[in-house]
Amino acid sequence: MRRAHWVLLIALVTGAALLTAGCGGSSSSGGKDGSLDLVIGDSAPLSGDLADFGPPTQKAADLAMAQIDAAIERAGVDHNVSLVHEDNCGGSDQQCAVQATRKLATSDKSTCIAGPWASSDVVPAAESVAIPEEVVLMLPASTGAAITDLKDGPGFVNRTAYRDSFQGSALANYVAKALGGAAGKTVNIGARNDAYGTGLAETFQAAWEKLGGKVGEKVVYDVDLASYDTEAERITSGDPDGTVILDFPETYNKVGPALARTGKLDVATTFMPDGMSAPAVIKSAGANATVGIRGTVPGLPKGDPGYVAFDKAYRAAAPKDVARQAYDAQAFDSVMLCYLAAAAARSSDGPDIAEHIRAVSGPPGKKYGWLDLAEAIEALQRGEEIDYQGVSGPIDLDDNGDPSAGIFDIFRFERDGTMEIVDQIPVEAPS
């Protein structure tokens, strides 16, 4: 772009380029005249423990990019926006996630990245790449509590996913509902040994005990064991009233059959979190370890016109054989927020995006959904505030970059290989 070359020439003359050439947050451009050159990164779980979520994530991000392009054309603004995908190995390799973030930030010049996904990947990716390089992370699915406490300057780390304290509370409330109350009831917990499993085990247990319930066996297991028979015996021991398994599909493909082999797993009183909300696990782990199990997954405002239109557009988009999956709406919204924050800042520099991303996600400001994206762009061009209404909900990021309220759907694995939504639990930010 001619404008970018002119800015670079001035920087070279003043010597500033020598100081900023390696910084992802200063690699793109924008201007007071309303022009914008922005690269958005998509760090997706195309392999690894969360690989079931990868293709839907990429499809949702591509759909968001297509809507952004169309809205830019309708609004008639001088915005050049592109999207770059990179595999983060989905919770199975932290170094892979760090390298994916580094490539997107430095080689691809992304200044806002949707991802990584696994909570265990976010902290190293943020601390070693995003924060020092001044690149914004907009996390579609990372729920770990430690993310809230990151020292991320003006707001380099944000998420459209609810943090684990939301889900721990929602899961405890639903288990209590399903078991006829928590008082006097004992549940056993099995959790993968990483930030996701142990963090969610902690928040679930605190919420469950606050309701009057008790925890019997609490088994934290490594994710790379050859056999889980010993762990399965402990998880199913003591005749509990219920069982809570906090895992990802890749590991549960071994844990689940081990639980079924004990002959003591009661799927009707077994519960799981969002990380297991992948219907493919019914086949890979086996019906005896899945069918009838219920769990929590972030809910979506299904009657909202924006959601209905998103669902229709997603199903019509290529590749059509990539079905809807948990967190696809959050992935769509993450890309949207990256763009809207840059448009509000009239800059694609990371610090400028960080200073605006929370403002465009909530009040004050007129509400705009993705169907009104061209109008939202025009409002930002006029210097007005906006409140983006996401496909995944209102979002309304708080001072820590976390959504401040929401709902959880209750899924159930069915014998025909599908995952049905059977209930819903509202939840507010725990105090």
Side-chain angles (χ1 to χ4, degrees), residues 352-373:
D352 295 334
I353 295 174
E355 289 178 1
H356 287 79
I357 200 159
R358 295 171 188 177
V360 299
S361 78
K366 183 178 178 180
K367 294 180 179 180
Y368 294 92
W370 73 273
L371 293 173
D372 315 308
L373 189 58

Side-chain angles (χ1 to χ4, degrees), residues 270-283:
T270 299
F271 306 89
M272 294 177 166
D274 59 333
M276 286 297 300
S277 59
V281 78
I282 300 171
K283 181 177 180 180

Side-chain angles (χ1 to χ4, degrees), residues 67-113:
Q67 303 309 314
I68 290 169
D69 280 340
I72 287 171
E73 184 173 353
R74 290 198 303 272
V77 292
D78 183 16
H79 292 182
N80 178 31
V81 184
S82 59
L83 179 71
V84 182
H85 299 288
E86 192 67 30
D87 180 17
N88 61 39
C89 302
S92 62
D93 184 348
Q94 288 186 359
Q95 189 56 37
C96 173
V98 171
Q99 290 173 348
T101 306
R102 190 175 302 282
K103 181 179 183 299
L104 288 168
T106 59
S107 298
D108 298 320
K109 307 302 182 185
S110 303
T111 51
C112 190
I113 298 172

Side-chain angles (χ1 to χ4, degrees), residues 128-151:
S128 62
V129 182
I131 296 170
E133 294 289 343
E134 298 187 325
V135 170
V136 174
L137 298 184
M138 194 67 239
L139 311 171
S142 305
T143 60
I147 295 168
T148 297
D149 299 326
L150 279 169
K151 305 301 182 184

Side-chain angles (χ1 to χ4, degrees), residues 171-182:
L171 186 56
N173 286 334
Y174 184 72
V175 172
K177 179 180 178 180
L179 298 181

